[in-house]
Every structure is written in structure tokens, then in C-alpha cells.
């Protein structure tokens, strides 16, 4: 990492890059530094002070909105700090630098029969970024969040000090979930789950409406390892809430071949002909209301007639990271990108709130092109998004022209979520207002502000999101 | 037309540059306004309090440009447009060969432009977006008897911008050369020239063209006339009184 010498006070001009949230609708130019050691992280803290800039922490940039970007700041990118500090194939316990990804974890663990206990719908997040957001998987209702499954972390505060945190310390629950605003997670120690096969047994069921959706989850919550459901957001009237539910179970029988990466790796071509790197180009012309209405209906029909109420096996990677199957799929949303809007609503209110959300998007003729339903359980992390209930994640296309309307729509939907006692997820947020953040975080926001005063009194660490939500302005 | 959100205008204290800064700010853009006369910039800031970021600086203080540029982009909150509008054109008699006056034109019109626009070019080449605009002049199309070094300074600017265009086009960066004819500003005060334009008009044209890579004459008439003038053979041109 080349840092400028102290007498040269300008930042190196060749470090500047445009960085974006995963949805590409939030963009900012930042001076990007990629440290490889703890001392290099400390050097960047010192440099930021010298030139009077803030720092935004960044992992793989898989958060959709503005959580890992900040205009004109120094972006401290941990993707090159990615060593395994220790790994025991006997116990499945790994100690990692923050840039180790979920992909690195499964590639290291799976050949020895270990699978990460919590994974997101994409394998590219870094552990630092994933813990800063405290990610959940399709097994959240059973396993909790990633933070619930971590043994120990190191947190480096902006004074350069490193403290080791374990689940018996309060700060552990704040450092995890606080979106990189209190310090840098520099080391993660976690255990993985023992598996005997690299495949899952998967059950698919086509569902006609919202009632059937919630029923499907509740029926299998006792014994399924994973559950997720797709919702056709163009379905209305009797078809509102229709979709395709999947539950999956680990297989108990030893199948060492299926544990190997070549069994897991996704094929290079789709239907054996189309190179997967080009698939987004096919999707792009369909990426409008009419194309997507048609595509969603086609998916619903195929779910109804192919494999409905049947079991099949699927590799862990294919089931867990379906979205990674099509590289650059997000480019279909260019030029202005998209947002993912995911809200978490208590069990009793979930059906009502989510059905109403879809009605509102249909009235506004701004239907989400993708809707995904998951079941959750509460946890004790400071900025937790999870609760005893359900989440609904919606992908909305953004255009310069419709963005103000889309923001207003999401803000009206936020009101309903807040009124039901629901929560939001900073990794997916681009539309919350300071008032909405205050409303759902309540006391926890005050705790965050007190911790900020203690651990980062100069306010060196920030993000576009922290500024937008004015998280520290009332502190 | 692209809506700019973060801009720098060098030479924003009067004439064309000031109008560009004003019109950008009126559209909601934050503008770093650079010039030597701080009191003029303060007036602008008063007019658009949240949007104009004044920056008192002499463009011929080349060594300070990298830091001033970087600090200003920080204060403005980003950069998607830079306009270099600083320029001087002292009165030069037809039989005058003042190195001092000539150097002043090269210093501000050429070297100052290179000092500032190199910074922006480097930044844009890394960020992969942005518009870089230089205010050239029809005066740079030929060497004429009245203003040898002013003509040369604008010709140098045009060629420099053309080269930047060739470097940066493939990176998604727009490089724009604007060629106004005579404009009613302090620079031309006291000069009697036909068909003078208002700076407001030129500024609106600059903003409109700022995202269209290439060279643009402000007046369509000039586009035709100067196409002809550029092609007059030298042995005829030297006998003409233009
Ligand atoms: C296709 C797709 C599917 C997804 N599916 C899910 C899902 O199923 N469940 C889920 O929970 N999420 C999901 N996500 C969201 C994603 O898991 C989170 O946004 C995650 O935080 C991304 O990690 P990252 O390394 O990219 O971090 P970034 O997005 O780069 O950063 C995230 C946050 O972490 C902070 N940060 C980064 N590194 C550190 C560090 N070392 N120390 C402290 N703070 C740090 C940043 O400042 C930022 O606030 C999905 C995202 C995508 C694109
Ligand atoms: N007017 C015309 O007819 C005409 C025609 C074609 C092209 N142009 C070109 O248009 C541009 C603007 O000219 P104008 O007509 O608007 O002239 P102007 O009213 O005299 O404005 C010139 C601007 O340049 C700034 N400037 C001069 N020297 C500077 C320096 N050393 N450092 C920083 N800023 C400096 C001035 O600010 P300070 O003095 O406050 O520093 C002022 O803001 C020039 O490049 C000019 O060559 C003008």
C-alpha cells in the first residue's frame, strides 16, 4: 500500500475510484486504500486525520445502498486482508482476517465436511462486512444470525487499539451489527457446521396466495433446516401472494464426492449453450414492467406444473447462492440501478403488511421485479434487523425520473412497518429517513451514540447511510 | 442534458465563468468557484449560500493546484464537471512585442489550464465519469496579426483538450472545447467588436454542451465562417486584414 509521505499533504490522485452500493443506484467517489496488515490500517487512520477526511469501511460492497460508500472519504477496503490465521479441519474452527469471504469459508471447509453455519444469498460478502451487518440466511428461524454463530472477534478502534470481544461482553453485540461505525472488525473466529453430504434434500411447493405462504413456513418451521419463498409481486386479487416455497434439509448419509468443489461449482454455461457471463444481456430487454410481469407469471406457472410438491436434491452452493449463478445480473438494471427494500414484520402482522405493500406498489405501477419471503427469530444485537416474524425483500428498478416517486412509496411502506412494530435492515436500505431510523431503533440508537462518543469521539468513521440517517447528529 | 451536482469553475469571479457558476448553482449544483478576487466570490456565495464554495486562488500558482483541487473537491462533495474559464487578454498593439504580456497569457490561459485540467483528467480517468470543459476561442483557429500570443494560447488549449479527449473518451469521460466569438465581459470592455454575445447566453450554451464530447462553436454562424477561415491557404491569409 503506497501512502503519501507526511510533507505531501494531498492524497494520492490515483487512489480515487467511483464506488457504488450493490444496487448501483448509490454512487460516490472515494480514495480507496486496501490494507494488508493492522499497521497499514493504523497508517490510514493517521493519514485521514492529516488530510481531514472521514473514513468509510468497506468489504466486498455487497450492501445494496449507501452503507459502504461515502463521497470524498477514504474507503478502507478489506478485500486484500484475507488470510486464514488458523484453520482446524478436525473441529471446523477458523480464525480469519476480515476480508475472508463466505466463498473462501466453504471452499476451505466443505472438502473436510464443514459448511458455514450462516450464509447470505450470495457467497461474495467478506466476514467483516457480513458481521458489520450481522447477516442472516435461509435458516435464520433456526440458527439466528451470523453474529449468533461467532466465537470471538477483534475490534480495532480508531485509536489503533485492538480489543478481543466474546459473546459474554456487551460490546460484542454492538460491534457486530453497527454497520462499521464503531470500529474495524479485524479478526473473526467461528465454527462451522458438520455436514456429511454436499447436497441438500429440497422440497418445492407452488403456493396460490398469502395465506398459503405463511402456512407453508409455519408447517415446516419445526424440522426444516432452510426455508425461503419466492413471491410473484404482479399477482393480485385471488392470486395475491402466489409464489414458490422451498424447504431444504441436510442429508445424513456420507457422500464425500459431493463435498468437493467440482461437484459444487456452478456450470459455466446455462442450458449448455449460453455463457453465463452474457445472460444479463438477455435479461436486460425484459427488465421492465411488462417483461417482468410475464417472466414472473412464467415462473409461477412452471413452479405449478414442474416438480410441485416433490423432493429433489440440489448442491449446497446451488441452493444457497442461486443469484451468483448469473454473474453481473445486476447490469440488467443499468443505467440507474436498483434498490432492494427488505422489511421485517412481527409474525401476526406479516401477511397484512406485506400484502398491503404489494398492493401499494401495484397501485403506483412500480411493482418489484423480485420478492422473497423468509422467516426469522429475534437476536440481541444492537442494530438488529431480525425479530420473531417474517421478512419480505423487494427489488425495485430505479430510474432518475422515477426515483423521487419510488422513495415516497417506500417511505409510505416504512410507516406501516413501524406501526406494526417492524424493523429494517441497513444492508438493504436506501430509503429510510432519519425519523424512521429513530422510530425503529429507539433506545438502541441512543446506546449507539454513546458508544460512538466513547470509541470514535472525532467521528472518523462514517458512511453515506450514517449521514443520510443523521445517526450521530442528535448525539 | 445531464444534471450536474458537483462542479468546479475556475475563473468564476466575472464574465463567462461567473455566469456558468451562477446558472449551475441556480439548478441546484454545488459549485467550487475559483478566482483571485475573493470579494467577487463572496458576492456569489451570498447569492447562493449553500451552493457556492468560494476558493481564492491564483491559477498561475501551479505548485499549489493539486492540493487546492483536492481540498475543493472534498468541500464540494464530489466532481462531475470542471470548467476552466480563467483567461487574460491584455491589449497588445500590432507592433508591440511585450514578453511580459505574452507570458501572462501563456501563464493563465495555457499553463493554468493544464495545471487544473490535468488534476481533473487524472481524477476522471480513475473514476470513469465526468465532464471537463475548456473555454477556448475562435481566436485560436488561426494566427492573426492583432493577437499572436492570445491566438497561440487558445490554439494550445484546443490541441491540449483534443489530446485529452483522445485519452479519456474510452474511459467514459467527456472533454469539451467551447469556442465563443466576442462576448461582452470585462475582458472585452472598451473593445468595439461586431455581434457581441451576452455572457448569460454563452454560459447556458456551455452547460448544455458540457456533456457532449467534442468542439463546439457557440454561434452556428462562426462554425461556418471559421471552417472557411481555417482553410484559407497561408499565402492568401497573410495578405488579408483579419
Ligand atoms: C445478491 C445478494 C444477496 C444477499 N443475500 C443476503 C441474505 O440472504 N441475507 C443477508 O443478511 N444479507 C444478504 N445480502 C447482503 C449482504 O450479505 C450484506 O450487505 C453484507 O454486509 C455484505 O458484505 P460485504 O463484505 O460486501 O460488506 P459491504 O457491503 O462492503 O459493507 C457492509 C457494512 O460493513 C462495514 N464493514 C465492512 N468491512 C468491515 C470491517 N472489517 N469491520 C467493520 N465494518 C466493516 C461497512 O462499512 C458497511 O457498513 C445479500 C446481498 C446481495 C448482493
Ligand atoms: N470575452 C470574450 O470575447 C471571449 C471570447 C472568447 C473566449 N473568451 C474566453 O473566455 C474565458 C472567460 O473570459 P471572460 O470574457 O469571461 O473574461 P473576464 O470577465 O475577464 O473573466 C476572466 C476570469 O478569469 C479569471 N482569472 C484571470 N486570471 C486568473 C488567474 N491568474 N487565476 C485565477 N483566475 C484568473 C478572472 O478572475 P480574477 O481576476 O478574479 O482572478 C475572471 O474570473 C477566457 O478564457 C477568455 O479567453 C472570451
Amino acid at each position: 500500500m503506497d501512502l503519501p509521505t507526511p510533507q505531501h499533504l494531498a492524497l494520492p490522485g490515483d487512489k480515487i475510484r467511483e464506488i457504488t452500493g450493490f444496487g448501483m443506484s448509490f454512487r460516490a467517489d472515494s480514495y480507496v486504500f486496501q490494507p494488508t496488515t493492522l499497521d497499514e490500517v493504523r497508517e490510514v487512520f493517521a493519514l485521514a486525520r492529516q488530510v481531514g477526511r472521514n473514513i468509510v469501511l468497506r468489504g466486498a460492497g455487497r450492501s445494496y445502498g449507501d452503507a459502504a460508500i461515502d463521497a470524498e472519504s477514504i474507503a478502507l477496503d478489506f478485500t486484500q486482508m484475507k488470510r486464514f490465521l488458523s484453520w482446524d479441519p478436525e473441529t471446523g474452527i477458523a480464525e480469519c482476517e476480515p476480508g475472508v469471504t463466505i466463498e473462501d469459508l466453504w471452499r476451505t471447509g466443505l472438502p473436510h465436511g464443514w459448511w458455514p453455519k450462516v450464509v447470505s444469498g450470495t457467497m461474495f460478502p467478506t466476514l467483516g462486512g457480513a458481521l458489520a451487518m450481522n447477516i442472516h440466511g435461509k435458516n435464520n428461524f433456526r440458527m439466528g444470525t451470523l453474529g449468533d454463530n461467532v466465537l470471538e472477534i477483534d475490534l480495532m478502534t480508531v485509536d489503533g487499539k485492538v480489543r478481543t470481544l466474546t459473546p459474554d461482553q456487551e460490546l460484542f453485540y454492538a460491534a457486530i451489527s453497527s454497520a462499521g461505525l464503531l470500529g474495524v472488525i479485524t479478526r473473526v473466529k467461528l465454527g462451522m457446521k458438520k455436514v456429511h453430504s454436499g447436497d441438500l434434500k429440497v422440497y418445492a411447493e407452488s403456493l396460490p396466495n398469502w395465506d398459503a405462504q405463511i402456512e407453508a413456513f409455519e408447517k415446516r418451521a419445526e424440522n426444516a433446516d432452510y426455508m425461503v419463498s419466492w413471491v410473484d409481486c404482479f399477482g393480485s386479487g385471488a392470486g395475491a401472494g402466489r409464489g414458490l416455497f422451498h424447504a431444504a434439509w441436510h442429508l445424513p448419509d456420507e457422500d464425500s464426492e459431493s463435498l468437493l468443489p467440482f461437484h459444487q461449482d456452478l456450470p459455466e454455461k446455462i442450458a449448455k449453450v449460453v455463457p453465463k457471463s452474457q445472460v444479463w444481456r438477455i435479461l436486460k430487454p425484459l427488465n421492465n414492467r411488462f417483461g417482468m410481469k410475464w417472466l414472473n407469471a412464467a415462473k409461477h406457472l412452471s413452479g405449478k406444473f414442474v416438480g410441485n410438491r416433490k423432493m429433489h436434491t440440489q448442491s449446497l452452493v446451488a441452493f444457497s447462492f442461486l443469484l451468483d449463478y448469473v454473474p453481473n445480473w445486476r447490469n440488467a438494471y443499468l443505467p440507474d440501478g436498483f434498490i432492494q427494500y427488505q422489511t421485517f414484520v412481527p409474525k401476526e402482522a406479516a401477511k397484512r403488511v406485506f400484502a398491503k405493500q404489494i398492493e401499494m406498489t401495484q397501485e403506483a405501477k412500480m411493482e418489484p421485479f423480485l420478492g422473497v419471503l423468509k422467516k426469522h427469530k429475534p437476536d440481541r444485537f444492537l442494530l438488529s434487523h431480525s425479530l420473531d416474524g417474517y421478512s419480505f425483500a423487494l427489488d425495485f428498478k430505479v430510474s432518475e425520473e422515477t426515483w423521487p416517486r419510488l422513495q415516497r412509496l417506500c417511505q409510505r411502506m416504512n410507516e406501516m412497518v413501524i406501526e406494526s412494530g417492524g424493523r429494517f435492515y441497513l444492508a438493504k436500505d436506501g430509503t429510510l429517513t432519519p425519523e424512521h431510523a429513530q422510530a425503529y431503533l429507539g433506545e438502541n440508537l441512543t446506546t449507539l451514540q454513546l458508544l460512538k462518543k466513547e470509541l470514535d469521539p472525532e467521528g472518523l468513521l462514517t458512511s453515506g447511510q450514517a449521514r443520510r440517517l443523521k445517526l450521530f447528529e442528535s448525539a | 442534458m445531464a444534471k450536474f451536482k458537483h462542479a468546479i469553475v475556475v475563473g468564476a469571479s466575472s464574465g463567462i465563468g461567473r455566469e456558468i457558476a451562477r446558472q449551475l448553482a441556480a439548478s441546484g449544483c454545488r459549485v467550487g468557484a475559483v478566482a483571485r478576487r475573493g470579494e467577487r466570490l463572496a458576492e456569489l456565495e451570498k447569492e447562493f449560500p449553500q451552493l457556492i464554495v468560494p476558493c481564492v486562488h491564483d491559477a498561475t500558482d501551479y505548485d499549489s493546484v493539486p492540493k487546492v483541487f483536492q481540498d475543493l473537491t472534498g468541500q464540494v462533495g464530489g466532481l462531475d464537471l470542471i470548467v476552466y474559464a480563467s483567461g487574460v487578454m491584455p491589449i497588445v498593439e500590432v507592433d508591440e512585442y511585450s514578453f511580459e504580456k505574452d507570458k501572462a497569457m501563456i501563464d493563465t490561459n495555457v499553463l493554468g489550464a493544464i495545471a487544473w485540467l490535468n488534476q481533473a483528467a487524472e481524477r476522471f480517468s480513475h473514476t470513469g465519469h465526468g465532464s471537463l470543459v475548456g473555454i477556448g476561442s475562435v481566436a485560436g483557429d488561426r494566427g492573426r496579426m492583432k493577437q499572436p500570443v492570445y491566438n497561440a494560447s487558445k490554439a494550445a488549449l484546443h490541441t491540449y483538450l483534443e489530446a485529452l479527449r483522445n485519452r479519456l473518451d474510452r474511459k467514459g469521460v467527456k472533454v469539451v472545447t467551447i469556442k465563443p466569438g466576442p462576448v461582452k465581459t470585462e475582458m472585452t470592455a472598451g473593445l468595439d467588436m461586431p455581434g457581441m454575445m451576452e455572457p448569460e447566453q454563452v454560459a447556458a450554451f456551455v452547460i448544455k454542451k458540457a456533456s457532449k464530447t467534442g468542439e463546439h462553436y457557440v454561434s452556428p454562424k462562426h462554425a461556418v465562417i471559421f471552417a472557411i477561415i481555417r482553410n484559407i491557404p497561408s499565402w492568401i491569409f497573410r495578405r488579408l486584414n483579419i
Side-chain angles (χ1 to χ4, degrees):
Chain A
M1 206 175 56
D2 296 328
L3 292 176
T5 49
Q7 62 271 25
H8 179 198
L9 278 173
L11 287 161
D14 62 355
K15 291 274 183 211
I16 197 152
R17 295 284 179 280
E18 183 183 52
I19 52 178
T20 75
F22 183 77
M24 301 177 300
S25 52
F26 289 88
R27 299 172 170 269
D29 297 339
S30 298
Y31 297 85
V32 180
F33 288 83
Q34 297 183 315
T36 53
T37 65
L38 294 185
D39 277 336
E40 286 181 354
V41 178
R42 293 186 182 103
E43 282 169 24
V44 175
F45 288 160
L47 175 66
R49 289 190 181 99
Q50 248 176 24
V51 295
R53 303 253 172 181
N54 283 106
I55 293 176
V56 61
L57 306 184
R58 186 169 170 89
R62 254 58 192 183
S63 294
Y64 280 77
D66 47 0
I69 65 172
D70 189 50
E72 295 302 309
S73 285
I74 290 176
L76 202 40
D77 168 331
F78 291 98
T79 51
Q80 298 310 308
M81 219 163 143
K82 54 175 180 185
R83 285 170 303 177
F84 277 75
L85 301 170
S86 73
W87 158 241
D88 184 347
E90 293 300 313
T91 58
I93 292 179
E95 266 183 279
C96 308
E97 288 188 331
V100 167
T101 62
I102 293 172
E103 178 179 18
D104 298 333
L105 272 190
W106 78 254
R107 283 194 189 278
T108 304
L110 196 57
H112 305 278
W114 300 102
W115 178 254
K117 289 183 178 168
V118 171
V119 300
S120 47
T122 169
M123 62 172 107
F124 303 123
T126 63
L127 288 180
L131 276 175
M133 288 302 182
N134 199 17
I135 63 163
H136 61 263
K138 301 177 181 76
N139 55 357
N140 187 253
F141 63 99
R142 175 172 297 282
M143 295 293 290
T145 48
L146 181 61
D148 283 319
N149 292 282
V150 160
L151 301 169
E152 202 174 278
I153 61 168
D154 278 353
L155 180 75
M156 183 195 275
T157 39
V158 293
D159 54 8
K161 282 196 200 123
V162 176
R163 38 193 117 190
T164 297
L165 302 174
T166 51
D168 52 3
Q169 284 160 281
E170 261 325 292
L171 191 52
F172 177 87
Y173 296 92
I176 294 174
S177 82
S178 55
L181 297 168
L182 296 179
V184 181
I185 295 169
T186 52
R187 185 182 62 97
V188 181
K189 184 174 174 187
L190 45 68
M192 292 206 244
K193 178 184 168 60
K194 187 75 201 161
V195 293
H196 304 283
S197 164
D199 285 336
L200 293 168
K201 181 175 74 172
V202 181
Y203 170 78
E205 183 175 340
S206 172
L207 302 172
N209 55 36
W210 282 111
D211 283 332
Q213 288 279 7
I214 302 294
E215 206 184 300
F217 278 94
E218 293 299 317
K219 206 158 94 189
R220 289 181 181 76
E222 279 296 304
N223 68 12
D225 288 322
Y226 302 93
M227 292 193 293
V228 63
S229 192
W230 164 79
V231 177
D232 173 2
C233 299
F234 290 89
S236 60
R242 70 186 184 194
L244 188 60
F245 170 84
H246 285 110
W249 295 261
H250 285 282
L251 291 170
D253 299 330
E254 210 65 48
D255 178 2
S256 49
E257 184 135 321
S258 68
L259 298 174
L260 299 175
F262 81 84
H263 177 81
Q264 299 288 332
D265 275 326
L266 303 167
E268 278 310 309
K269 294 199 168 152
I270 286 181
K272 298 206 169 101
V273 273
V274 187
K276 59 182 188 175
S277 60
Q278 299 305 314
V279 171
W280 70 269
R281 292 183 199 279
I282 301 170
L283 288 176
K284 195 158 183 352
L286 290 172
N287 209 21
N288 51 60
R289 275 185 79 217
F290 294 104
M292 281 295 147
K293 186 173 178 167
W294 178 83
L295 213 68
N296 274 271
K299 181 171 161 65
H300 176 62
L301 278 181
S302 82
K304 211 162 155 179
F305 296 112
V306 186
N308 191 9
R309 295 177 186 250
K310 292 204 179 100
M311 292 280 185
H312 61 280
T313 56
Q314 197 172 13
S315 76
L316 274 161
V317 165
F319 179 81
S320 308
F321 311 123
L322 190 70
L323 287 164
D324 296 340
Y325 199 78
V326 182
N328 299 324
W329 58 268
R330 64 179 177 163
N331 286 355
Y333 283 101
L334 284 174
D336 296 323
F338 69 115
I339 56 165
Q340 184 168 100
Y341 175 87
Q342 185 177 18
T343 53
F344 294 68
V345 172
K347 199 155 56 180
E348 322 72 59
K351 197 166 50 183
R352 172 179 61 82
V353 171
F354 296 152
K356 183 72 189 160
Q357 286 183 344
I358 290 303
E359 272 172 44
M360 288 163 73
T361 66
Q362 292 176 349
E363 271 162 29
K365 298 193 174 14
M366 297 182 106
E367 299 87 347
F369 293 174
L370 179 68
V372 174
L373 204 57
K374 281 182 236 164
K375 185 170 163 65
H376 298 274
K377 75 171 187 185
D379 59 57
R380 54 173 293 201
F381 292 89
L382 188 63
L383 299 197
S384 177
H385 52 273
S386 203
L387 42 58
D388 183 14
Y390 286 84
S391 75
F392 196 25
L394 306 172
D395 285 6
F396 288 100
K397 184 174 181 165
V398 169
S399 77
E400 205 177 324
E401 182 209 340
T402 55
W403 179 228
R405 266 203 310 136
L406 180 57
Q407 276 176 304
R408 282 198 298 276
L409 173 68
C410 292
Q411 284 158 12
R412 283 196 293 129
M413 298 198 292
N414 291 347
E415 301 281 339
M416 283 190 334
V417 173
I418 290 167
E419 158 271 313
S420 75
R423 309 186 68 80
F424 302 89
Y425 186 15
L426 296 179
K428 309 291 180 78
D429 159 55
T431 59
L432 277 175
T433 62
E435 296 71 31
H436 291 152
Q438 176 104 42
Y440 96 89
L441 289 170
E443 296 260 294
N444 290 1
L445 180 56
T446 317
T447 310
L448 178 78
Q449 291 168 343
L450 289 173
L451 284 169
K452 182 80 172 171
K453 270 196 185 139
E454 187 190 326
L455 301 176
D456 178 17
E458 330 146 74
L460 199 62
L461 302 180
T462 189
S463 67
Q465 183 173 55
R467 290 181 201 272
R468 174 169 53 84
L469 300 182
K470 299 191 167 68
L471 288 183
F472 303 113
E473 278 185 26
S474 58
Chain B
M1 183 172 114
K3 190 161 160 21
F4 297 103
K5 296 199 178 88
H6 304 102
I8 288 179
V9 179
V10 189
S13 61
S14 79
I16 301 170
R18 179 171 58 187
E19 269 317 308
I20 295 172
R22 215 180 235 148
Q23 292 181 18
L24 284 169
S27 74
C29 177
R30 260 173 86 78
V31 186
V34 184
R36 291 167 302 181
R37 284 171 290 178
E39 66 291 351
R40 294 284 195 94
L41 301 178
E43 281 167 28
L44 257 187
E45 191 191 9
K46 230 167 154 184
E47 205 179 328
F48 299 99
Q50 302 303 322
L51 295 167
I52 296 282
V53 182
C55 171
V56 178
H57 162 86
D58 184 333
T60 64
D61 182 6
Y62 314 119
D63 290 345
S64 72
V65 172
K67 176 95 170 82
V68 174
F69 172 82
Q70 203 175 80
D71 287 348
L72 189 57
T73 50
Q75 284 171 275
V76 170
L79 190 69
D80 38 45
L81 168 67
I82 183 163
V83 182
Y84 190 87
S86 285
V88 292
M89 187 183 73
I91 292 173
V92 176
E93 304 299 333
V94 238
D95 52 0
E96 187 182 359
Y97 297 92
S98 157
F99 181 71
E100 206 179 324
K101 288 182 182 176
D102 291 348
K103 181 172 179 297
M105 287 186 270
I106 296 297
D107 285 350
T108 305
N109 306 4
V110 183
L111 293 177
I114 295 172
W116 273 87
L117 298 180
N118 269 0
Q119 290 299 311
E122 184 185 25
R123 178 181 164 118
F124 290 159
S125 77
H126 291 297
T127 59
H129 67 89
S131 289
L132 187 153
V133 180
I135 310 294
S137 170
V138 296
D141 276 2
R142 289 303 292 252
R144 286 143 74 181
M145 56 198 290
K146 284 186 188 152
Q147 275 288 6
V149 176
Y150 184 74
N151 295 160
S153 75
K154 290 298 174 184
L157 182 67
H158 298 169
T159 308
Y160 164 70
L161 289 172
E162 181 182 31
L164 286 192
R165 190 147 47 236
N166 295 344
R167 276 191 177 187
L168 298 176
D169 187 58
R170 62 202 74 185
K171 299 197 168 167
V173 179
K174 318 281 181 216
V175 180
V176 178
T177 309
I178 302 288
K179 293 182 171 181
V183 186
K184 281 186 213 154
T185 64
E186 287 170 23
M187 182 180 273
T188 51
L191 298 181
D192 185 23
M193 290 189 272
M196 288 186 76
M197 283 188 161
E198 297 297 331
E200 291 83 353
Q201 212 182 337
V202 179
F205 180 86
V206 171
I207 295 170
K208 190 168 133 204
K209 293 292 180 191
S211 48
K212 304 231 166 18
T213 218
E215 280 196 352
H216 307 285
Y217 287 89
V218 178
S219 147
K221 216 160 62 186
H222 286 151
V224 177
I225 295 172
F226 280 88
I228 298 167
I229 291 183
R230 277 200 317 273
N231 288 297
I232 299 175
S234 184
W235 60 271
I236 301 181
F237 197 65
R238 73 178 82 113
R239 290 179 171 78
L240 300 178
N241 222 357
I242 53 176

